[in-house]
Amino acid sequence: MLSLVFLPGFLQSVAPLLDHYGYGAVALLLVLEDFGIPVPGETTLIAAAIYAGTGRLNVVLLLVIAVLAAVIGDNIGFAIGHYGGEALIHRYGRYLFLNKRRFNSARDFFNRHGGVIVVFARFFEGLRQLNGIIAGTSDMRWQLFLVYNVIGAALWAGTWITFGYVAGNHIATIYHTVTRYEQYALVLLIVVAAVLLIRMIRHRRR
């Protein structure tokens, strides 16, 4: 079945899913992506926004489904982290160059700045998929995580749906520009985290 909507470049692969399953494809893939499974969740969301711009999907319903799916996926990740994530990380973290000391340092940083991280992690590839799991291994209360998670999901889904809905076929250029600067922002975030950790270690030694 050929798609009735032209999707630029990197979005064409998800057209069959949207043509056959519509909102269901968006919901399922966002849930799966947000607790660590490598599926094209964000790509599907952007493509669905273009569909909404052509009238194939309802943009308001798409936003509601996207936010709910993202929140559900991250909460599944939170549960995984809370009930077994730390043990799994200690067991398999060495394959990711994440030993126990580094994990504990990262968790301490998350405990101090967790709210901001939960809100904005969705905009970064990798952090989006692991956000809930890391939060679940920290001391963050689930109720607090849920609040920040809903805020982050609404900002993230609203941003990309608006871009896709308004920009249409120009979304490819916009997306590649944003993701290029996203990498710089991620490097800056890592540098800031490293500086804060060094200051914290020095303070404890004193």
Side-chain angles (χ1 to χ4, degrees), residues 76-148:
I76 293 174
F78 185 92
I80 293 173
H82 182 72
Y83 292 108
E86 184 174 351
L88 292 176
I89 289 173
H90 288 166
R91 184 173 182 179
Y92 300 107
R94 62 182 181 276
Y95 299 111
L96 302 174
F97 304 102
L98 187 64
N99 57 33
K100 185 175 182 179
R101 180 180 59 80
R102 290 176 180 173
F103 169 74
N104 289 335
S105 297
R107 187 174 60 178
D108 289 341
F109 177 77
F110 191 96
N111 287 335
R112 297 178 63 182
H113 308 280
V116 175
I117 295 174
V118 170
V119 171
F120 293 104
R122 291 186 179 280
F123 291 91
F124 299 97
E125 188 70 26
L127 291 180
R128 180 170 62 253
Q129 290 83 355
L130 299 176
N131 181 38
I133 295 176
I134 295 175
T137 63
S138 74
D139 296 327
M140 177 176 283
R141 292 183 295 110
W142 173 78
Q143 295 86 341
L144 186 61
F145 170 77
L146 180 61
V147 171
Y148 286 123

Side-chain angles (χ1 to χ4, degrees), residues 27-61:
L28 178 61
L29 291 178
L30 288 188
V31 168
L32 293 177
E33 183 189 46
D34 280 348
F35 69 88
I37 297 179
V39 296
E42 185 178 75
T43 301
T44 303
L45 174 64
I46 298 170
I50 297 177
Y51 271 57
T54 65
R56 292 285 302 279
L57 298 174
N58 181 282
V59 67
V60 176
L61 182 56

